[in-house]
Each structure stands twice: as structure tokens, then as C-alpha cells.
Amino acid sequence: MGRLLRNSIVFPLVIVGFVLLLLLPKNVDVQQEGALSFSADYPFTFDLYKRNIEQFIGHLWTEKGFGETRSGVPLTEHGERYLKRSMKVIVAAFGLSMVLGSLLGVWFFFLRDKWLGKLFSSLGWALASIPDFFLFIICQYGLILLMQKGFPEFNLFSSDDWYSFIIPSLALTIYPLFHMIKMTLVTMDHESSQEYVRTVLSKGMTRSRTTVHIFWNALSTILNQSHMVLLYILSSLPIIEKLSNYNGAGYQLLESILDDEVIWAFMFFLPFLAMMFIVMVLVELARIWLLPRDVSHV
Amino acid sequence: MRQYVITIKRHALLLCGLLMLTFIIGMAIFGPSLSFIDENLEEVTHTLTDGQLEVAPFPPSREHVMGTDRDGRDILSLIVMGASQTLLIVCLVTVIRYLVAIPLAYMAHKRVFGIDTLVKSLNHFLSYVPTIIIVVILAMLPPIIVSDARPFALVIIIALVEAGRAAHTMKLDFNAVAEKEFMLSGAAVGASSLRMLKAYYLPFLYQKLIIYVVSDLGKVMFLLGQLGFIGVFVSQELVQVEIGMFELRNESITWPMLLMDTFMDLRGPVWIIFWPACVMTVTIFTFNMIAQGLQQLPKKRDSFM
């Protein structure tokens, strides 16, 4: 409960902090000195900063929201379109790494004394150290080569085909997936040294049923990783979207920051922040109502 | 003899990682003087063979093992020539980060000047806002873009953005060490804070600290790669290109810089980005391997002698 409360206070502060960072003055002052000679001056004063902040608040206030584009379309309409595309990638990558990651973790825990489990624990870190961008480049290159060899052709660089989100999500999944497997393995290993495990085994419960028990008890700790997994996916999303020409909210966020479009950048980033907050709240609620409490400190 | 074999087998991962690191550093230092490395990075924009005009980028061939870029420069030579700068930047970022993070962590642990709150809030902020977004926003600020010391400013920005996270992790380690019994003896003899840090805290954290630093080297390399795709590099200068128009130009060679046109290169001359990305992957892999090897050390050495 304490964590829920603390994060509810932190979350608005993070939004304010992000906006303040975004509003740092970036004005350019180009002055003509001679016929073909110009000098650029970048005034960077507190007054400008204050004016930026006032302008930003004023804009949100008068428009009662993010406002409209020049042609009269609400900004949120644009935002929604891009966000919908990105959501496909995010949900697929997040779901896959959380569910598959913990399930594979359980499986490897079950096999940890067999060669497969040992192989994984010695190679898991290696696979997790491949940067997602390299993985993506290999995927694309491989597919292009395959298509040249007669593999059925499909559109590799678009955002509107139903399958467009698959390769970006896969590239984003690899690191969080291995992270989840590792964390599940470590947490369950830790949990398996509890006394109750010895008790149920001695009473004749099967190994697989015991594993389910251990997993259920470790789940609270395993779910803690969800925030980190989502943060990783959201950090890499803009880059992967840029590489794959997948025109989603991540790419738009990056472009609007580079073009100094503060309102746009704020609009594109807000859903990402909200997503992280919602996941945190859901995990906390699950922990309060659903999952077994940690009784070791009682 | 058997002893050696056992030692090597035990620390195979660490040794292998160190071997790879030696190779990478060797490439950075001695590579430029190798015969097949074109030190001047000559630009061959087109060639005429048997009356056929060919235009750069040239695909990998016997002459250019990894192909050439759009200016006709040999990719292998670019990678070798850029190695020292790239490694230097990565090391500089990590070292500065920890030089800031260690005192911060200690002060946060001792709860002086509200540093504790600062570290906590920085850590909270970073757990919501991705590092790369913060770095891009700060790198685009005018005082930094026009500064003569832009490369150095960017190194410091990248270092400091995550210093809060590093300090937070280390603060937890400081807290854990503070629980140990021998700490009381330090307090009893009246050791000063600085002496406590040097003689009572750090000796028990050195190993962890090295693991943190080495794994951060990999993370920094990853971040620099990501920044490369966006077009933000450490060594850039503002140049006037047209009347009243300014553009960031690349003044020296680093690996991330070769990734700049990925979006175009991915559809055609893929070798231009494939090899730099591959070298970066190998380097990240090497750092992670060493970190992993170091992590296995303490378990093997449970001795009171």
C-alpha cells in the first residue's frame, strides 16, 4: 500500500519534471553580419525559460487540451493514430516477455540440474547482451536475402500492414525476455530454500506441484520486474520504430523532441508515462488482493 | 600443471573476456599501423574497370573486406581508426559517472545535505523517463550545441544522467555493509567519515564496484549506438552550410557515427551499418562477459586465509 501511495505522489512530479526539461529554452537568434556572413546566437536566460513555461501552461489552458493543428484537426486525433500503432508493438513485446519469460523461467528452474538448465544459465547472459538494434538489422538483412532467394515477399518497411508490428516487437522482446527468465530463475531458486518446500516434499507432494507452489509464492517478487521490462521496451521503441520505418508514437516523440515541438512531445510521452503508472498500480493491486503475502518478517 | 588447468577452467569466462578485450584494445592501438588499414581514409567515389563505371558504396570484395561507405572509404579502416576514440568516450563516460556516484552514494547513505532525497528523486525520475530521451533533450540545448567543448559537455551529460541510478544502487550496498559488525570498531576508534569510507566501506565494495563499472561500459556503448541512429554524436561541430543555415557536422570518426544513415543503408548497402553494429555488439558482449566472469569470482574464493 505504501508503494502505491508513494508512486501516486511521484508520478505527477515526474510529469512536471519532464515538462520542465522539455521547456528549457532553445531559441535561435540568427543575425546578418555582412553580405553572406551570419552569426547565430542562442540566448539562454531564465526569463526565456519562464516565458516558455507560461506559454506552455497558457496553451494548455486556452485550448482546454493539446489544441488543434493548423488545418483544424485535434492533436489528439493524430496522437491516437500513432499511439494505436505503437500499442501493438508494446503490448506484444511486454506480454511476450512477461508471460513467456516467467514460464520459461519456471521450466528452466525445473531443469536446473539437467544439462539444458545448466546450458541456459551459462548462455542466457550472452543472448541478452545482443543489442536490439543489431538483432533488428540482422532480421531485416536476413529477410531481404531470403526474399532474393525466392522467399514470399512482403512489405518490410511499413506501419500499416497487419504484420508490420511483428519484427519490431521481436527485436524489442529479446532483452526483457532473458531478463525475466533470469529473474524468475533466481527468485524461485531463493524461494526453494524455504522450509515449507522441504515439508511438502517430505509429505509426498510431486515435484511439479511443489514447483507451482513455489512459483505462486515467488510471483510477487517476479512481478516487480514488470516496471523495468516496460521501461526497457519504451526506451528502445523510438529507435526500433525509426529503423523499421514504423511510424508510431515512439518515433513521433523522438522527432518532436528534435524539432522542439513541445506540445507534441508532451502529448506523445504522456501515454507512455501513464502506461508505466498503470502497470505499477495493477501489480500493486494484484499483490494486495491476489498474491500471497510475504510472511517472513511477521 | 593441474593447478593451472583448474584455475583456467574456473575462470574461463573472465579469461576469455579479458582476451577479447585485449584484442579490441590492441586493434585500437596497433590497428592503424597495419598494412591493410588505410590510415588516410581515402575517398574513392567511383572506379572505372573495363570501361564500366562503378560508384561508391562498393560491396565487400577482396580489396575492401567489409565494403566501403558512401564516400568510398574502407569500412574496415573506418572501424579500426575509430576504435580508440569510441573506447575512450565509453571509458570516460563510465569513469566520470562513478567518480560522481560514489561520493553521492556515500553522502546519501550518511544522509547529509538532503543528498538522500536527491538521489531518490533522480532514481524515481529515471524509472519513468528513459535515459535516451533525457540525453537527446539535453544534447539539443543551444549552449551545448554551440559550445566549443561540446564533446566534453556531451560526455558529462551522458555520465551524469545515470549517475543518480548508479548512486542509488551503491547506496543500498553502503547500507548493507554498514550493518556489519566491524563497522562498530571503526566508529569506536573515532575514524572520520573519509577514513570510514576508505578503510571500512570501500574495501568490501571494490569487487562489486568493478562489476558495476564493467557492465556500465556495455550499457554506455549501447546508448551511444542508439544515439548514433538518431544522429546525436559526441564529436560533432556546428558548421554554417548555407546562408543562415547551420548544421551539425561530424569532425572525427567513432563507431556510432557510421550508423547515422541506417534508415537508408538498411535498404541497400547494408554492409555500411552491419559491420559497425557488429563490432559494437562484440564489444558489448566482451564487457558483459568480463562482468559475468567477475561475478563468479567470489563464490569460488570462500577462504579466510
Side-chain angles (χ1 to χ4, degrees):
Chain A
M1 202 63 187
R3 199 190 306 216
L4 205 59
L5 201 69
R6 197 170 62 230
N7 270 288
S8 314
I9 299 168
V10 165
F11 181 62
L13 291 179
V14 170
I15 296 180
V16 173
F18 179 71
V19 171
L20 287 181
L21 200 64
L22 214 52
L23 287 173
L24 286 170
K26 280 168 226 143
N27 309 43
V28 191
D29 227 357
V30 179
Q31 267 154 5
Q32 192 163 13
E33 284 180 344
L36 287 173
S37 163
F38 289 78
S39 75
D41 190 26
Y42 296 82
F44 195 76
T45 58
F46 192 71
D47 279 344
L48 272 174
Y49 194 24
K50 220 175 107 188
R51 205 164 68 205
N52 275 356
I53 297 171
E54 281 165 4
Q55 259 175 12
F56 180 77
I57 297 172
H59 180 89
L60 292 188
W61 188 254
T62 47
E63 300 282 347
K64 302 271 176 266
F66 295 111
E68 297 174 342
T69 57
R70 288 230 178 92
S71 49
V73 186
L75 248 61
T76 40
E77 207 167 285
H78 281 287
E80 217 180 294
R81 196 174 75 234
Y82 294 120
L83 191 65
K84 259 188 199 154
R85 285 186 192 144
S86 283
M87 280 307 278
K88 276 195 239 167
V89 180
I90 298 169
V91 170
F94 183 67
L96 209 62
S97 29
M98 288 304 287
V99 176
L100 197 66
S102 40
L103 288 182
L104 280 176
V106 174
W107 193 45
F108 285 126
F109 169 76
F110 204 65
L111 298 174
R112 72 194 193 287
D113 295 327
K114 307 250 168 57
W115 66 271
L116 190 67
K118 278 186 182 150
L119 183 77
F120 174 79
S121 53
S122 56
L123 284 183
W125 65 268
L127 291 168
S129 25
I130 303 172
D132 47 22
F133 56 76
F134 186 59
L135 201 76
F136 181 79
I137 292 173
I138 296 180
C139 268
Q140 293 285 26
Y141 191 30
L143 282 172
I144 290 173
L145 283 182
L146 275 177
M147 282 181 197
Q148 282 168 359
K149 295 258 156 64
F151 194 69
E153 281 195 28
F154 56 88
N155 204 344
L156 275 177
F157 303 98
S158 84
S159 29
D160 292 324
D161 295 305
W162 65 267
Y163 50 76
S164 302
F165 71 98
I166 294 177
I167 300 176
S169 327
L170 283 183
L172 285 175
T173 304
I174 194 90
Y175 179 82
L177 181 72
F178 283 106
H179 179 78
M180 277 311 289
I181 295 177
K182 197 176 91 191
M183 291 323 274
T184 310
L185 203 58
V186 170
T187 318
M188 288 188 64
D189 207 36
H190 182 75
E191 185 74 22
S192 68
S193 62
Q194 298 279 326
E195 283 295 326
Y196 73 86
V197 178
R198 185 155 42 170
T199 311
V200 292
L201 282 176
S202 70
K203 293 203 170 195
M205 192 185 260
T206 56
R207 252 173 77 82
S208 45
R209 279 198 66 189
T210 314
T211 309
V212 173
H213 268 279
I214 295 175
F215 178 68
W216 187 241
N217 282 333
L219 195 57
S220 175
T221 320
I222 293 170
L223 282 180
N224 259 347
Q225 299 301 322
S226 58
H227 191 94
M228 192 259 150
V229 166
L230 191 57
L231 180 69
Y232 177 86
I233 292 173
L234 293 181
S235 323
S236 276
L237 183 74
I239 313 292
I240 294 295
E241 280 189 0
K242 187 177 161 91
L243 289 187
S244 56
N245 198 15
Y246 191 87
N247 197 355
Y251 176 62
Q252 290 296 330
L253 168 69
L254 202 62
E255 288 296 304
S256 42
I257 289 176
L258 290 175
D259 295 341
D260 195 24
E261 298 274 0
V262 177
I263 302 283
W264 285 94
F266 181 57
M267 182 184 73
F268 284 121
F269 194 59
L270 211 52
F272 290 165
L273 273 182
M275 245 180 265
M276 277 192 268
F277 185 66
I278 290 168
V279 166
M280 196 278 309
V281 170
L282 287 180
V283 168
E284 277 310 301
L285 290 181
R287 187 173 288 143
I288 292 169
W289 286 325
L290 229 63
L291 297 174
R293 300 262 169 87
D294 182 10
V295 288
S296 56
H297 300 298
V298 177
Chain B
M1 187 61 202
R2 226 181 119 233
Q3 201 74 42
Y4 284 119
V5 174
I6 290 174
T7 319
I8 290 174
K9 237 178 135 179
R10 259 189 195 167
H11 307 307
L13 212 54
L14 182 62
L15 289 173
C16 196
L18 289 175
L19 208 70
M20 280 165 74
L21 186 67
T22 319
F23 177 75
I24 293 171
I25 294 175
M27 175 178 89
I29 297 173
F30 303 111
S33 47
L34 289 175
S35 62
F36 52 89
I37 299 299
D38 175 15
E39 229 182 310
N40 306 318
L41 297 171
E42 199 187 339
E43 296 186 5
V44 187
T45 46
H46 55 271
T47 55
L48 201 62
T49 37
D50 306 330
Q52 279 229 316
L53 186 69
E54 281 183 68
V55 188
F58 303 110
S61 61
R62 188 169 292 176
E63 203 181 337
H64 303 288
V65 186
M66 296 181 182
T68 76
D69 71 351
R70 284 172 195 276
D71 294 329
R73 296 179 295 182
D74 184 39
I75 295 280
L76 178 64
S77 304
L78 278 169
I79 289 175
V80 170
M81 298 298 290
S84 54
Q85 271 238 9
T86 314
L87 293 177
L88 185 74
I89 292 171
V90 171
C91 290
L92 217 57
V93 167
T94 316
V95 169
I96 294 175
R97 179 177 296 168
Y98 278 89
L99 282 183
V100 174
I102 295 170
L104 262 185
Y106 189 59
M107 284 196 276
H109 163 66
K110 288 282 175 199
R111 296 171 183 272
V112 279
F113 306 134
I115 300 277
D116 188 32
T117 323
L118 176 79
V119 167
K120 238 188 225 158
S121 20
L122 276 177
N123 196 48
H124 269 304
F125 191 67
L126 277 177
S127 69
Y128 274 105
V129 185
T131 314
I132 186 153
I133 301 280
I134 305 177
V135 172
V136 171
I137 293 178
L138 292 179
M140 283 314 183
L141 286 182
I144 287 157
I145 289 185
V146 293
S147 159
D148 290 331
R150 183 172 185 276
F152 199 65
L154 256 181
V155 164
I156 293 198
I157 286 176
I158 301 175
L160 293 192
V161 166
E162 287 222 6
R165 178 192 53 77
H168 184 75
T169 321
M170 287 189 56
K171 192 197 95 178
L172 299 181
D173 290 330
F174 277 127
N175 287 353
V177 174
E179 305 259 307
K180 296 266 162 77
E181 206 137 327
F182 64 81
M183 280 296 165
L184 286 175
S185 70
V189 295
S192 68
S193 290
L194 200 67
R195 169 124 195 94
M196 286 293 278
L197 176 67
K198 256 168 63 181
Y200 287 81
Y201 283 94
L202 284 183
F204 294 89
L205 294 176
Y206 278 139
Q207 201 169 17
K208 267 195 172 170
L209 190 63
I210 293 174
I211 294 174
Y212 289 153
V213 169
V214 174
S215 30
D216 259 31
L217 286 171
K219 280 186 203 154
V220 172
M221 179 68 92
F222 179 59
L223 184 70
L224 287 180
Q226 288 190 316
L227 287 172
F229 291 116
I230 306 174
V232 175
F233 311 101
V234 170
S235 45
Q236 272 175 324
E237 251 173 56
L238 203 66
V239 180
Q240 182 168 351
V241 277
E242 269 174 61
I243 301 169
M245 293 274 284
F246 293 85
E247 196 185 81
L248 283 169
R249 281 276 173 86
N250 303 319
E251 294 300 316
S252 59
I253 307 149
T254 53
W255 294 340
M257 212 166 272
L258 301 168
L259 302 174
M260 183 168 50
D261 294 323
T262 301
F263 187 64
M264 285 182 326
D265 295 338
L266 200 53
R267 271 135 253 236
V270 77
W271 58 88
I272 300 179
I273 50 164
F274 177 81
W275 289 110
C278 184
V279 173
M280 291 180 82
T281 305
V282 170
T283 315
I284 294 173
F285 188 75
T286 307
F287 288 139
N288 285 358
M289 196 181 226
I290 296 174
Q292 195 73 22
L294 284 170
Q295 251 162 17
Q296 291 176 354
L297 277 184
K299 285 179 214 148
K300 314 281 183 195
R301 284 177 50 194
D302 262 346
S303 147
F304 286 105
M305 282 292 282

